Amino acid sequence: MSTYHPPADPGLTLTGERTIPGLDVENYWFRRHEVVYQRLTPRCVGREVLEAGCGEGYGADLIAGVARRVIAVDYDESAVAHVRARYPRVDVMHANLTELPLADGSVDVVVNFQVIEHLWDQARFVRECARVLRSSGLLMMSTPNRITFSPGRDTPINPFHTRELNAEELTQLLVEAGFTVEGVYGIFHGPRLAEMDARHGGSIIDAQIARAVADAPWPPELLADVAAVSAADFDIVDAGDSCDIDASLDLVAIAVRP
């Protein structure tokens, strides 16, 4: 799967609500999201796909390279306008994710990456995914692991998140909506990112957050490392492969509508 090469102008303003390609200071988070698209896009080959919560649109466009059709939905009108202008092969719509503007059983795959943590009514959204999927259709979802993303907190650190989930909670949400969970996976730092962690006080994530919170300049060595991160620097590990899923950075779930 090819790596996304961002345009010179990222188009949308970086607010922290969504990741945007083409910005050095955002590259770590962008690549951490991109790896999920790269690994799961092959499940979309020749299929009709809905991306529920498309954000900037780079992922929907990547999927459009292999899918029969990609419909993208987002609640943010500026994001919808951006996707419509930049990614013409994506059929984008403005709508609330808890009221998807699609008929029952109209798509083969629903993609929902790094979105569900932003929603107030998560159960209703997952039921909507089940409604629009055809029998045996796939729901592919990723979300920050609450245990490592907001450790020791009842409320998320990110002000744009309403409720974060751990692996057990994510699985329960899917099962209660009638899905069969095919697999749950964890995203971890690979060897090169582990080296970067060591260079930046044990955590390249904490080093970035510290600069953002303090509105402080980035040391050149930190900026260089963040800008050099690629999707290949992340590992996606099956929870059944003796990995500690609770130690993962993000969770990835694949579920099947009966």
Side-chain angles (χ1 to χ4, degrees), residues 173-186:
L173 190 67
L174 295 168
V175 169
E176 288 180 350
F179 283 94
T180 299
V181 177
E182 177 184 301
V184 177
Y185 308 83

Side-chain angles (χ1 to χ4, degrees), residues 96-100 116 119-131 173 177:
N96 191 320
L97 298 190
T98 60
E99 298 177 1
L100 293 171
I116 196 165
L119 305 182
W120 288 103
D121 196 339
Q122 296 175 344
R124 182 176 176 184
F125 165 67
V126 178
R127 290 195 299 270
E128 274 291 274
C129 293
R131 180 185 66 79
L173 190 67

Side-chain angles (χ1 to χ4, degrees), residues 50-138:
L50 165 67
E51 178 160 30
C54 63
E56 194 273 344
Y58 68 88
D61 187 63
L62 179 65
I63 294 168
V66 302
R68 182 162 70 249
R69 181 190 183 198
V70 175
I71 304 164
V73 172
D74 204 277
Y75 188 68
D76 187 320
E77 291 183 346
S78 64
V80 170
H82 172 83
V83 173
R84 186 171 289 129
R86 176 155 290 186
Y87 303 112
R89 59 185 179 176
V90 175
D91 183 3
V92 64
M93 302 183 223
H94 172 245
N96 191 320
L97 298 190
T98 60
E99 298 177 1
L100 293 171
L102 279 76
D104 295 359
S106 56
V107 294
D108 303 303
V109 180
V110 175
V111 170
N112 180 248
F113 295 156
Q114 303 294 323
V115 173
I116 196 165
E117 65 276 4
H118 295 262
L119 305 182
W120 288 103
D121 196 339
Q122 296 175 344
R124 182 176 176 184
F125 165 67
V126 178
R127 290 195 299 270
E128 274 291 274
C129 293
R131 180 185 66 79
V132 303
L133 278 168
R134 298 179 177 123
S135 179
S136 300
L138 294 179

